[in-house]
Amino acid sequence: MSLYKAKGIVLKTTKLGEADKIITILTASRGKVRAVAKGIRKTKSKFGSRLEPFSHADMLLYAGRNGLDIVTQTELIQSFSEIRDDFDRLAFGSGMLDLAEKVSVEGDPDVALFNLLAKGLEATAWSKRNHRLLLTAFDLKLMSITGYLPKLDACTVCGNSAVELKRFSNERGGAVCERCFDEAGFGVPVRSAVLALMHELLRTKLIVVAEMDTVAKDEAEASRVVSDYVAYHLQTRLRSRECLTQLGSLT
């Protein structure tokens, strides 16, 4: 086995045996990595709490031959304990981790995805509000870098940017004008203010989104539209999003 270093963010952990855990990590240099942290569940583990979900750390690992590497050393860069210790931050931050885990690929480096997740968690940990808005912005930016950028400034069917856009189509990948809806039936009703907010979120840094003032009705509708868009294109319902929906946090 070869030894390597990697900066990573812990996406999730799973118990293994009596004392170990499988740690799923998003790294900048190797994409998603699954590794065993031996003895981590013991009281006197050398890892302590440095390999909990959200933790950002420098890691030393052995490359395994069975799909599982082995974590040998960790040095914490940022714990993001502010997220783990606050229910609202935890709920929406988990939404970021889940989506990053879903789209990341083992052995396929994606620096843009890694940087987006790091910035998303930093903004979530720092901000005392706008956590739902941050998740919506994170989702839009992530869909953009994975090739599913929604078209928001012109009709995705006819391409006309001089018409009022009143619909949004997951199938066609963006906003739809009234004429194209009448002719082909693409899309569901979405207010123009919501489409404008989504467009602004795509262009705005997450740390700025954390302090934006928005209309609550627009924010809630944007959250619903974007959440449905993510679920449609990824063909999955993420557990964290289902929990947020049940709590009424995405509506």
Side-chain angles (χ1 to χ4, degrees):
M1 295 187 294
S2 59
L3 195 63
Y4 68 92
K5 293 181 179 180
K7 292 183 185 293
I9 297 171
V10 178
L11 301 177
K12 67 178 184 180
T13 65
T14 307
K15 292 180 180 179
L16 178 66
E18 295 183 359
D20 306 337
K21 280 185 180 180
I22 296 174
I23 314 295
T24 303
I25 309 156
L26 180 65
T27 72
S29 57
R30 292 180 175 240
K32 183 163 58 182
V33 170
R34 296 174 72 245
V36 176
K38 293 184 178 295
I40 191 172
R41 290 159 57 199
K42 293 181 178 179
T43 305
K44 296 183 179 180
S45 169
K46 64 179 179 180
F47 298 115
S49 60
R50 288 170 288 176
L51 290 176
E52 292 298 314
F54 299 104
S55 294
H56 182 190
D58 275 320
M59 304 179 192
L60 189 63
L61 304 97
Y62 276 111
R65 296 178 181 176
N66 60 350
L68 287 175
D69 296 346
I70 299 174
V71 184
T72 62
Q73 294 180 27
T74 61
E75 183 177 343
L76 199 61
I77 297 172
Q78 193 165 359
S79 71
F80 289 118
S81 59
E82 302 93 337
I83 298 177
R84 286 194 296 270
D85 295 342
D86 178 85
F87 180 81
D88 194 52
R89 289 188 179 101
L90 176 63
F92 289 102
S94 294
M96 295 182 184
L97 294 189
D98 278 359
L99 187 54
E101 199 276 330
K102 176 64 181 178
V103 303
S104 55
V105 179
E106 292 184 38
D108 185 9
D110 191 334
V111 176
L113 175 60
F114 180 85
N115 289 339
L116 176 63
L117 180 58
K119 291 175 182 177
L121 296 181
E122 287 170 0
T124 301
W126 174 77
S127 178
K128 295 181 179 179
R129 63 190 185 103
N130 282 359
H131 300 129
R132 178 175 61 180
L133 191 67
L134 276 168
L135 180 59
T136 302
F138 176 86
D139 286 354
L140 282 167
K141 294 175 187 296
L142 187 146
M143 295 304 281
S144 173
I145 66 178
T146 54
Y148 294 104
L149 172 66
K151 192 171 184 64
L152 300 170
D153 56 355
C155 178
T156 189
V157 179
C158 67
N160 194 339
S161 60
V163 294
E164 187 174 3
L165 303 169
K166 295 184 177 181
R167 305 275 172 170
F168 187 88
S169 170
N170 291 330
E171 180 183 359
R172 297 307 295 262
V176 178
C177 69
E178 199 70 23
R179 181 177 67 83
C180 288
F181 172 77
D182 290 340
E183 292 179 357
F186 290 117
V188 295
V190 176
R191 291 177 296 110
S192 57
V194 174
L195 293 172
L197 174 59
M198 291 165 61
H199 195 218
E200 184 177 5
L201 293 176
L202 263 173
R203 298 177 298 172
T204 305
K205 293 181 179 180
L206 290 170
I207 198 66
V208 177
V209 171
E211 289 300 301
M212 281 176 59
D213 291 318
T214 61
V215 177
K217 183 179 178 180
D218 295 347
E219 180 186 332
E221 187 174 347
S223 172
R224 176 185 57 78
V225 170
V226 174
S227 183
D228 287 346
Y229 183 74
V230 169
Y232 177 86
H233 284 283
L234 297 185
Q235 295 295 299
T236 188
R237 284 285 178 182
L238 301 172
R239 183 188 302 176
S240 60
R241 308 307 171 95
E242 291 178 349
C243 292
L244 286 168
T245 300
Q246 291 170 3
L247 291 169
S249 299
L250 289 181
T251 58

